[in-house]
C-alpha cells in the first residue's frame, strides 16, 4: 500500500507561481515513474508532467516553459513548480507514482487562478 499526499495548492492571481509537493509513504520498494495530472471542472483528467526513475521527463504542451516537475528533494517526494499561471490552469492537481504492479494516486490539491 502506498499513500500519496499533495500540498501547496491555493488561490493565486494570473501570472503568479505555485509549488506543489507530493510525498509518498507506505510499503515502498521502488518507484518507476512519477507524474502530475490535473482535472478541471467538467473536464477529463489530463497529464501535466511525467518523469521516470531514469529522469526522462515530458510535459503537456500547455505546461512546456511554465511548469517543471522536480525530484531534487527527498527520495519519496516530487514537486511541480508552476509559473506564469493562467485562469485555464484552475484545476485539482493530482500526483501519481508507478510501482512494479500499479499506479497510485493522491487525493489532489486544488489550484485556483483568479484575479
Amino acid at each position: 500500500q502506498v499513500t500519496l499526499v499533495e500540498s501547496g495548492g491555493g488561490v493565486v492571481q494570473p501570472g503568479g507561481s505555485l509549488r506543489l509537493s507530493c510525498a509518498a509513504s507506505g510499503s515502498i520498494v521502488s518507484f518507476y515513474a512519477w507524474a502530475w495530472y490535473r482535472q478541471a471542472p467538467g473536464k477529463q483528467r489530463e497529464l501535466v508532467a511525467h518523469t521516470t526513475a531514469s529522469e526522462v521527463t515530458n510535459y503537456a504542451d500547455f505546461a512546456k516553459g511554465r511548469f517543471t516537475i522536480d525530484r531534487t528533494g527527498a527520495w519519496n517526494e516530487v514537486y511541480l513548480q508552476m509559473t506564469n499561471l493562467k485562469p485555464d490552469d484552475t484545476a485539482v492537481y493530482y500526483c501519481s507514482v508507478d510501482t512494479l504492479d500499479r499506479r497510485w494516486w493522491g487525493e489532489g490539491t486544488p489550484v485556483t487562478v483568479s484575479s
Side-chain angles (χ1 to χ4, degrees):
Q1 185 75 17
V2 175
T3 301
L4 299 176
V5 178
E6 302 98 333
S7 61
V11 179
V12 63
Q13 292 187 342
S17 299
L18 281 175
R19 182 174 172 83
L20 307 182
S21 300
C22 173
S25 60
S27 303
I28 301 166
V29 177
S30 61
F31 296 140
Y32 292 88
W34 295 82
W36 286 94
Y37 288 77
R38 73 182 187 183
Q39 187 166 17
K43 294 186 177 181
Q44 290 188 333
R45 191 172 297 190
E46 60 182 350
L47 177 69
V48 177
H50 178 272
T51 187
T52 67
S54 55
E55 301 182 0
V56 176
T57 301
N58 64 83
Y59 296 89
D61 285 345
F62 64 79
K64 292 177 181 177
R66 298 191 300 130
F67 295 0
T68 302
I69 190 167
D70 174 5
R71 291 216 56 233
T72 58
W75 70 272
N76 63 327
E77 295 181 346
V78 67
Y79 310 93
L80 184 68
Q81 179 69 47
M82 303 188 294
T83 63
N84 190 23
L85 284 161
K86 305 174 181 180
D88 284 349
D89 296 318
T90 295
V92 178
Y93 284 72
Y94 298 89
C95 167
S96 74
V97 67
D98 293 346
T99 57
L100 183 62
D101 56 340
R102 59 166 285 183
R103 175 165 295 167
W104 304 87
W105 294 92
E107 293 295 315
T109 184
V111 172
T112 301
V113 184
S114 174
S115 56

